[in-house]
Structure formats: structure tokens, C-alpha cells
Amino acid sequence: MKHLQTGSFYGQTNQTICLKGITLTDTEYTHDKVDWHYHENAYFTFILAGHVIEGNKKEIYNCSAGSLLFHNWQDPHYNIKPKGFTRGFHIELQKNWFDGFNLSQDKIQGSFTINDPDVKFLLYRLFKESKIDDEVTALSVEALLLQTLVKMQTGKLSSSQQVPLWAKKIKEILADEFAQKHTLDDLSAQLQIHPVHLSRDFSKYFNCNLGEYIRKLKVERSFSLLHNHHLSLTDIAFQCGFADQSHFLRSFKQFSDANPSAYRKLLMRAC
């Protein structure tokens, strides 16, 4: 089985940044199929554009733009790329980086998807830092990665707690229908709970109120569409369920440190 060293990914590498114990790689996937292989480091794969299917011994992931995966070191997997342009951003974390912060890799074993919009926003900020690439980048990247791992661990603890059925159900509803116009009464009726109960207890399981969570999902979706130069910002706003472009811009800036046009320019670099 092929063993890939630090900074090595199948495809065309657009950029590699090597920091102390961290390697950032911007890669265009060019292979239709990649047989079973593993990497020597734990790493994130963030799909910036296109589509790739990834399988391991337990699961198969259909990853489109905006999908985020984490792989622990030496976890074997394979890839299939459908036709079309596909681009991924990878962050490798060497064992000495974990040791330097007294972090245990045992808490994030195996391969798994990450759906938390707050974690994805941090990954977009990490991608932005990779394109700035100045004397502050190393510090910013480390700080953002530590935030990411803390956020992942917090989410893991929350998911291990007793979560009521209505909270699981509303997460599924909003993931599928984030662009629709919801009302508190409609959602409460679907969940068969009182509107007061829903609005009071939602933040216990999602760490924000209901309206803020829906906006997060809309903005997260908009990030994954910005690579498509055929779509205007107005097109993206409507596809994501915003009333107009100005509402989209306000919400985007709320969860990002850049506006959509600036982020789109970053995505177009080295494509």
C-alpha cells in the first residue's frame, strides 16, 4: 500500500507552505481513481471546488465543495473523482506539533466528516491565511488550528450528551431546507414541541439561537458556491435563501473576516 510523505497528495500541487509541524497544501485532483493509500500525518481535507468520493474501511463519503474530512495518521483510504475540476485544501499536523501543545491524537482517531459550520468557517480562515503567506501567517495558522481542535472537541462532548429527538430532527430539517423560509410555529409543529420550548432550549444543543444557526447554514453554503464564476453574488444570495444581495453581504461579514468578493478572488488564485 502506498505511503505518502508530508506534503504529498495525488494531483497537481498549486501551493505548499511548510511551517513548524504543519504543512498546508492546495491541490487540484487530477486522478480519476487513487487506490488504497495512507499518509504519515493526521490531516484535514477541505474540498474547495468539485466533487470526490472517498472510502475507508468503515464508510464512503461523497464530498462536494464545502465538505470537510479529518483523517488520523496512517488511516488507509481510496479516492474516486468524477469528471470535472476538483480542488482540495489540506492541513497536515505532525506528531511533534501535537506533542508541543500536549495534545493527544487519541481523541481524534480514525476518519470522519465534520459538519459544524463554525469549524468550517475556521477552515476558510485558514485557507485565507495560506494565501496571505506573510510573517504573521505561522502564528495565525497555529492559533486558528488550536481553535479548530477545541471546537471539534467541544462538539464531540456535546454529541456524547443526551440529545433529545427534536434536536436531532431539527438539525436534519435545517440541513436539507436551510434556504426555505421557516417560522417558529411551522418548525414546532413538525417537531411536535411547543414554540416556547424550541426557542428556549435550542441554544443548549447548538450554542446559538435558532435564527443565528440558520444564517450560519446559509453563509456556509454560500462559501461553497463562490468558486463558480458563472454565478453572480446575487445568484448565490438567492440560492442560499437570502432576501437580497445586501442581506447576504451583511450575514457573510458576520461569520467571516472578508466579504464574498474578496474571498472569491482568493479562490481564483492558482486555479
Side-chain angles (χ1 to χ4, degrees), residues 19-199:
L19 306 173
K20 187 178 178 181
I22 303 167
T23 303
L24 311 176
T25 310
D26 181 345
T27 304
E28 179 185 342
Y29 295 4
T30 56
H31 293 59
D32 294 336
K33 185 175 181 180
V34 175
D35 210 349
W36 287 92
H37 63 282
Y38 62 93
H39 300 253
E40 69 171 336
N41 302 310
Y43 71 99
F44 293 93
T45 292
F46 199 29
I47 304 301
L48 299 173
H51 183 208
V52 67
I53 298 167
E54 181 163 310
N56 59 41
K57 293 179 179 179
K58 294 182 179 179
E59 294 186 72
I60 296 175
Y61 306 111
N62 283 284
C63 302
S64 55
S67 295
L68 176 60
L69 300 177
F70 181 84
H71 310 267
N72 209 334
W73 69 290
Q74 295 189 343
D75 193 48
H77 55 272
Y78 65 88
N79 301 99
I80 298 172
K81 185 186 80 68
K83 290 183 180 180
F85 177 78
T86 300
R87 181 183 179 193
F89 177 55
H90 307 95
I91 303 174
E92 293 181 82
L93 303 173
Q94 296 175 20
K95 188 178 184 299
N96 62 357
W97 186 82
F98 283 93
D99 293 342
F101 290 101
N102 293 317
L103 298 172
S104 173
Q105 288 179 272
D106 295 338
K107 294 180 180 179
I108 45 175
Q109 289 184 346
S111 293
F112 52 88
T113 56
I114 301 170
N115 296 313
D116 186 335
D118 288 325
V119 174
K120 290 186 180 183
F121 292 148
L122 289 168
L123 263 290
Y124 283 117
R125 290 176 65 186
L126 280 158
F127 174 73
K128 180 186 174 185
E129 280 296 334
S130 75
K131 297 308 172 189
I132 296 172
D133 192 16
D134 62 10
E135 68 280 356
V136 185
T137 292
L139 173 65
S140 295
V141 166
E142 275 201 329
L144 287 167
L145 278 172
L146 289 172
Q147 281 183 258
T148 300
L149 293 174
V150 168
K151 193 71 180 173
M152 287 168 59
Q153 189 60 27
T154 302
K156 208 169 187 180
L157 289 172
S158 297
S159 63
S160 65
Q161 297 170 353
Q162 191 67 31
V163 178
L165 184 60
W166 69 260
K168 296 177 182 178
K169 188 174 179 181
I170 196 171
K171 187 174 184 179
E172 294 173 0
I173 291 171
L174 296 178
D176 293 336
E177 304 173 2
F178 64 88
Q180 294 186 22
K181 188 174 182 179
H182 295 283
T183 68
L184 193 58
D185 286 340
D186 289 341
L187 288 170
S188 300
Q190 289 186 66
L191 300 170
Q192 297 183 322
I193 62 173
H194 196 280
V196 172
H197 182 187
L198 173 58
S199 35

